[in-house]
Amino acid sequence: MSTTHRSIVPHTVEEAYELAEAARNDDDEAMRDELGDVLFQVVFLSLLLEERGEGDLATITDQLTEKLIRRHPHVYPPADAGETEIETADD
């Protein structure tokens, strides 16, 4: 059986639940461990997309950036606003 995005979905979901559990338990060590597992799933799935010619990790991060700007325009200054100095969450 070959590995596909469908065949690893149960593992991805399991890792996400384990991360959520660690967060609920305020267990920073477990969170670091589970974040690594979730990150591995993201990288692995992006490689499967890349093999099919459907994108790669850079494409995914570009899409994420676009989504964050689209959904939260109040957080991100317009591209033509020049350099904005942001030092704190309040900024």
Side-chain angles (χ1 to χ4, degrees), residues 4-85:
T4 70
H5 61 283
R6 289 182 183 204
S7 67
I8 68 166
V9 164
H11 305 288
T12 306
V13 171
E14 179 181 345
E15 296 301 348
Y17 275 114
E18 289 174 0
L19 172 59
E21 171 108 8
R24 278 193 299 270
N25 292 333
D26 293 322
D27 186 339
D28 293 340
E29 183 177 348
M31 280 183 59
R32 286 190 303 271
D33 186 54
E34 298 306 333
L35 279 165
D37 293 343
V38 170
L39 181 58
F40 172 78
Q41 293 294 316
V42 170
V43 170
F44 191 70
L45 284 164
S46 70
L47 289 171
L48 292 175
L49 279 175
E50 188 174 352
E51 286 179 358
R52 294 196 327 255
E54 294 298 326
D56 56 17
L57 194 54
T59 303
I60 294 164
T61 58
D62 289 345
Q63 284 183 276
L64 173 60
T65 301
E66 291 169 9
K67 182 190 289 186
L68 289 171
I69 293 168
R70 184 177 65 249
R71 289 186 175 177
H72 307 283
H74 57 285
V75 175
Y76 301 96
D80 59 356
E83 193 170 315
T84 304
E85 193 168 313

